[in-house]
Amino acid sequence: MPTNPDDTDLWASMYLELVDRPTEALGPRELEQLAESSDLIGDDDGCAAAWEAAHLRHIVAVIRSDAGRCSFCLSFCLLLRGHMGQAGGWLVRTEASFCDDLDCITRGYVLIPALLGALESGDATAARDLAITAAKIANEFGDADLGAFAGLGE
């Protein structure tokens, strides 16, 4: 999997490799790769569909932390596209994915919209506090993506 978002040839190659395969034939990690590559080449609808399919695969496999991460990613993509209602619905699914499991990476991801809202409203103290909490969770679980989001508020 490409690690540099600027390496458009590798992302496009991955996208082309995965997009032509039937969704049913893709595992959850391949669906996540399809979502990421779709996002980076500008296929917004394909990105959303792949995140949703990956989320559902993780739900079926009862891997709630991965299901929550995928629903967060879908929510965030929808938020960036201005689909606030859909984004909010997926964020609720994200929150539900860890409702009774506080030892879960997803609890860090659900802080990010509040962190961004605090930044948007100029509440630097709240943004910093949320960023610190999210960074601690990212470090606890070794999650670089959450760590990057947390860095937005530092």
Side-chain angles (χ1 to χ4, degrees), residues 41-120:
I41 67 159
D43 180 5
D44 293 336
D45 292 337
C47 173
W51 279 127
E52 182 174 0
H55 166 79
L56 294 172
R57 293 284 168 76
H58 288 304
I59 290 288
V60 168
V62 195
I63 306 173
R64 292 172 28 172
S65 60
D66 287 343
R69 184 178 38 75
C70 290
S71 61
F72 169 79
C73 289
L74 175 52
S75 175
F76 195 73
C77 288
L78 292 167
L79 177 78
L80 292 176
R81 291 172 53 197
H83 300 287
M84 301 308 181
Q86 287 179 305
W90 278 99
L91 189 58
V92 168
R93 288 184 187 185
T94 302
E95 292 170 347
S97 73
F98 75 95
C99 61
D100 61 350
D101 181 7
L102 294 180
D103 191 27
C104 175
I105 187 68
T106 308
R107 65 187 166 89
Y109 279 105
V110 298
L111 298 174
I112 301 307
L115 186 159
L116 295 174
L119 287 172
E120 178 73 22

Side-chain angles (χ1 to χ4, degrees), residues 117-132:
L119 287 172
E120 178 73 22
S121 69
D123 188 349
T125 301
R128 188 179 139 282
D129 291 346
L130 290 163
I132 289 169

Side-chain angles (χ1 to χ4, degrees), residues 22-41:
T23 303
E24 306 79 42
L26 298 175
R29 296 290 181 224
E30 291 172 311
L31 287 164
E32 292 176 31
Q33 291 172 346
L34 177 59
E36 291 173 350
S37 61
S38 296
D39 184 37
L40 290 170
I41 67 159

